[in-house]
mmCIF file of all heavy atoms in Angstrom:
data_model
loop_
_atom_site.group_PDB
_atom_site.id
_atom_site.type_symbol
_atom_site.label_atom_id
_atom_site.label_comp_id
_atom_site.label_asym_id
_atom_site.label_seq_id
_atom_site.Cartn_x
_atom_site.Cartn_y
_atom_site.Cartn_z
ATOM 1 N N LEU A 149 8.505 17.248 12.621
ATOM 2 C CA LEU A 149 7.596 16.335 11.919
ATOM 3 C C LEU A 149 6.215 16.941 11.730
ATOM 4 O O LEU A 149 5.483 16.548 10.822
ATOM 5 C CB LEU A 149 7.466 15.024 12.703
ATOM 6 C CG LEU A 149 8.645 14.063 12.626
ATOM 7 C CD1 LEU A 149 8.421 12.883 13.557
ATOM 8 C CD2 LEU A 149 8.836 13.580 11.197
ATOM 9 N N HIS A 150 5.865 17.880 12.590
ATOM 10 C CA HIS A 150 4.513 18.449 12.549
ATOM 11 C C HIS A 150 4.516 19.900 12.112
ATOM 12 O O HIS A 150 3.545 20.617 12.338
ATOM 13 C CB HIS A 150 3.865 18.323 13.937
ATOM 14 C CG HIS A 150 3.642 16.902 14.341
ATOM 15 N ND1 HIS A 150 4.610 16.140 14.935
ATOM 16 C CD2 HIS A 150 2.558 16.088 14.194
ATOM 17 C CE1 HIS A 150 4.139 14.933 15.177
ATOM 18 N NE2 HIS A 150 2.902 14.864 14.726
ATOM 19 N N SER A 151 5.601 20.342 11.511
ATOM 20 C CA SER A 151 5.646 21.705 11.004
ATOM 21 C C SER A 151 5.762 21.674 9.489
ATOM 22 O O SER A 151 6.114 20.657 8.892
ATOM 23 C CB SER A 151 6.825 22.468 11.615
ATOM 24 O OG SER A 151 8.035 21.792 11.353
ATOM 25 N N GLY A 152 5.497 22.786 8.860
ATOM 26 C CA GLY A 152 5.504 22.853 7.410
ATOM 27 C C GLY A 152 6.887 22.964 6.825
ATOM 28 O O GLY A 152 7.880 23.112 7.542
ATOM 29 N N PRO A 153 6.987 22.907 5.499
ATOM 30 C CA PRO A 153 8.295 22.940 4.846
ATOM 31 C C PRO A 153 9.013 24.269 5.000
ATOM 32 O O PRO A 153 10.233 24.341 4.815
ATOM 33 C CB PRO A 153 7.970 22.647 3.379
ATOM 34 C CG PRO A 153 6.546 23.049 3.220
ATOM 35 C CD PRO A 153 5.894 22.785 4.528
ATOM 36 N N THR A 154 8.279 25.339 5.314
ATOM 37 C CA THR A 154 8.932 26.647 5.432
ATOM 38 C C THR A 154 9.438 26.922 6.833
ATOM 39 O O THR A 154 10.039 27.958 7.081
ATOM 40 C CB THR A 154 7.940 27.759 5.033
ATOM 41 O OG1 THR A 154 6.791 27.678 5.889
ATOM 42 C CG2 THR A 154 7.505 27.590 3.577
ATOM 43 N N SER A 155 9.194 26.030 7.738
ATOM 44 C CA SER A 155 9.636 26.238 9.112
ATOM 45 C C SER A 155 11.168 26.263 9.188
ATOM 46 O O SER A 155 11.842 25.437 8.567
ATOM 47 C CB SER A 155 9.085 25.120 10.001
ATOM 48 O OG SER A 155 9.534 25.288 11.323
ATOM 49 N N GLN A 156 11.702 27.201 9.936
ATOM 50 C CA GLN A 156 13.144 27.353 10.044
ATOM 51 C C GLN A 156 13.690 26.555 11.229
ATOM 52 O O GLN A 156 13.008 26.405 12.249
ATOM 53 C CB GLN A 156 13.498 28.830 10.235
ATOM 54 C CG GLN A 156 13.116 29.699 9.060
ATOM 55 C CD GLN A 156 13.836 29.293 7.790
ATOM 56 O OE1 GLN A 156 15.050 29.075 7.786
ATOM 57 N NE2 GLN A 156 13.086 29.176 6.693
ATOM 58 N N PRO A 157 14.929 26.026 11.121
ATOM 59 C CA PRO A 157 15.514 25.264 12.240
ATOM 60 C C PRO A 157 15.537 26.053 13.542
ATOM 61 O O PRO A 157 15.324 25.484 14.618
ATOM 62 C CB PRO A 157 16.922 24.953 11.735
ATOM 63 C CG PRO A 157 16.805 24.962 10.250
ATOM 64 C CD PRO A 157 15.786 26.005 9.930
ATOM 65 N N ARG A 158 15.793 27.376 13.447
ATOM 66 C CA ARG A 158 15.829 28.169 14.679
ATOM 67 C C ARG A 158 14.479 28.150 15.382
ATOM 68 O O ARG A 158 14.402 28.015 16.600
ATOM 69 C CB ARG A 158 16.236 29.606 14.347
ATOM 70 C CG ARG A 158 16.280 30.515 15.563
ATOM 71 C CD ARG A 158 16.621 31.930 15.161
ATOM 72 N NE ARG A 158 17.942 32.004 14.553
ATOM 73 C CZ ARG A 158 18.469 33.126 14.061
ATOM 74 N NH1 ARG A 158 17.775 34.256 14.126
ATOM 75 N NH2 ARG A 158 19.664 33.120 13.528
ATOM 76 N N ASP A 159 13.389 28.279 14.603
ATOM 77 C CA ASP A 159 12.055 28.243 15.207
ATOM 78 C C ASP A 159 11.752 26.868 15.806
ATOM 79 O O ASP A 159 11.123 26.756 16.866
ATOM 80 C CB ASP A 159 11.005 28.600 14.154
ATOM 81 C CG ASP A 159 11.182 30.017 13.625
ATOM 82 O OD1 ASP A 159 11.720 30.847 14.384
ATOM 83 O OD2 ASP A 159 10.817 30.265 12.468
ATOM 84 N N THR A 160 12.204 25.828 15.105
ATOM 85 C CA THR A 160 11.981 24.469 15.614
ATOM 86 C C THR A 160 12.685 24.264 16.952
ATOM 87 O O THR A 160 12.105 23.730 17.909
ATOM 88 C CB THR A 160 12.502 23.450 14.584
ATOM 89 O OG1 THR A 160 11.821 23.646 13.346
ATOM 90 C CG2 THR A 160 12.282 22.030 15.074
ATOM 91 N N LEU A 161 13.941 24.683 17.020
ATOM 92 C CA LEU A 161 14.692 24.521 18.269
ATOM 93 C C LEU A 161 14.094 25.369 19.391
ATOM 94 O O LEU A 161 14.037 24.937 20.551
ATOM 95 C CB LEU A 161 16.157 24.903 18.041
ATOM 96 C CG LEU A 161 16.947 23.945 17.140
ATOM 97 C CD1 LEU A 161 18.327 24.521 16.836
ATOM 98 C CD2 LEU A 161 17.098 22.578 17.812
ATOM 99 N N ARG A 162 13.640 26.573 19.039
ATOM 100 C CA ARG A 162 13.038 27.421 20.070
ATOM 101 C C ARG A 162 11.760 26.797 20.612
ATOM 102 O O ARG A 162 11.538 26.765 21.822
ATOM 103 C CB ARG A 162 12.751 28.808 19.489
ATOM 104 C CG ARG A 162 12.178 29.799 20.503
ATOM 105 C CD ARG A 162 11.892 31.131 19.829
ATOM 106 N NE ARG A 162 10.999 30.973 18.692
ATOM 107 C CZ ARG A 162 9.680 30.828 18.784
ATOM 108 N NH1 ARG A 162 9.114 30.824 19.981
ATOM 109 N NH2 ARG A 162 8.942 30.689 17.712
ATOM 110 N N HIS A 163 10.935 26.296 19.705
ATOM 111 C CA HIS A 163 9.691 25.660 20.135
ATOM 112 C C HIS A 163 9.975 24.445 21.022
ATOM 113 O O HIS A 163 9.349 24.243 22.068
ATOM 114 C CB HIS A 163 8.883 25.244 18.907
ATOM 115 C CG HIS A 163 7.470 24.866 19.225
ATOM 116 N ND1 HIS A 163 6.554 24.520 18.274
ATOM 117 C CD2 HIS A 163 6.822 24.764 20.414
ATOM 118 C CE1 HIS A 163 5.409 24.221 18.837
ATOM 119 N NE2 HIS A 163 5.539 24.362 20.149
ATOM 120 N N ALA A 164 10.971 23.624 20.601
ATOM 121 C CA ALA A 164 11.331 22.445 21.403
ATOM 122 C C ALA A 164 11.889 22.855 22.762
ATOM 123 O O ALA A 164 11.609 22.211 23.784
ATOM 124 C CB ALA A 164 12.356 21.601 20.650
ATOM 125 N N GLY A 165 12.672 23.931 22.781
ATOM 126 C CA GLY A 165 13.210 24.411 24.057
ATOM 127 C C GLY A 165 12.119 24.841 25.018
ATOM 128 O O GLY A 165 12.183 24.564 26.217
ATOM 129 N N VAL A 166 11.098 25.526 24.480
ATOM 130 C CA VAL A 166 9.970 25.949 25.333
ATOM 131 C C VAL A 166 9.265 24.725 25.909
ATOM 132 O O VAL A 166 8.902 24.688 27.098
ATOM 133 C CB VAL A 166 8.997 26.823 24.514
ATOM 134 C CG1 VAL A 166 7.723 27.079 25.314
ATOM 135 C CG2 VAL A 166 9.663 28.143 24.148
ATOM 136 N N LEU A 167 9.064 23.699 25.078
ATOM 137 C CA LEU A 167 8.407 22.475 25.570
ATOM 138 C C LEU A 167 9.223 21.810 26.677
ATOM 139 O O LEU A 167 8.669 21.350 27.689
ATOM 140 C CB LEU A 167 8.206 21.496 24.413
ATOM 141 C CG LEU A 167 7.174 21.911 23.353
ATOM 142 C CD1 LEU A 167 7.148 20.893 22.216
ATOM 143 C CD2 LEU A 167 5.787 22.039 23.975
ATOM 144 N N CYS A 168 10.541 21.763 26.487
ATOM 145 C CA CYS A 168 11.402 21.141 27.518
ATOM 146 C C CYS A 168 11.371 21.952 28.808
ATOM 147 O O CYS A 168 11.349 21.382 29.909
ATOM 148 C CB CYS A 168 12.831 21.011 26.993
ATOM 149 S SG CYS A 168 13.036 19.813 25.649
ATOM 150 N N LEU A 169 11.381 23.269 28.686
ATOM 151 C CA LEU A 169 11.326 24.105 29.889
ATOM 152 C C LEU A 169 10.002 23.915 30.623
ATOM 153 O O LEU A 169 9.959 23.923 31.864
ATOM 154 C CB LEU A 169 11.522 25.577 29.513
ATOM 155 C CG LEU A 169 12.928 25.956 29.031
ATOM 156 C CD1 LEU A 169 12.964 27.414 28.578
ATOM 157 C CD2 LEU A 169 13.951 25.731 30.139
#
Side-chain angles (χ1 to χ4, degrees):
L149 285 175
H150 295 85
S151 57
T154 58
S155 178
Q156 296 298 313
R158 179 183 298 177
D159 297 333
T160 301
L161 291 172
R162 183 181 56 79
H163 193 177
V166 171
L167 291 176
C168 292
L169 291 175

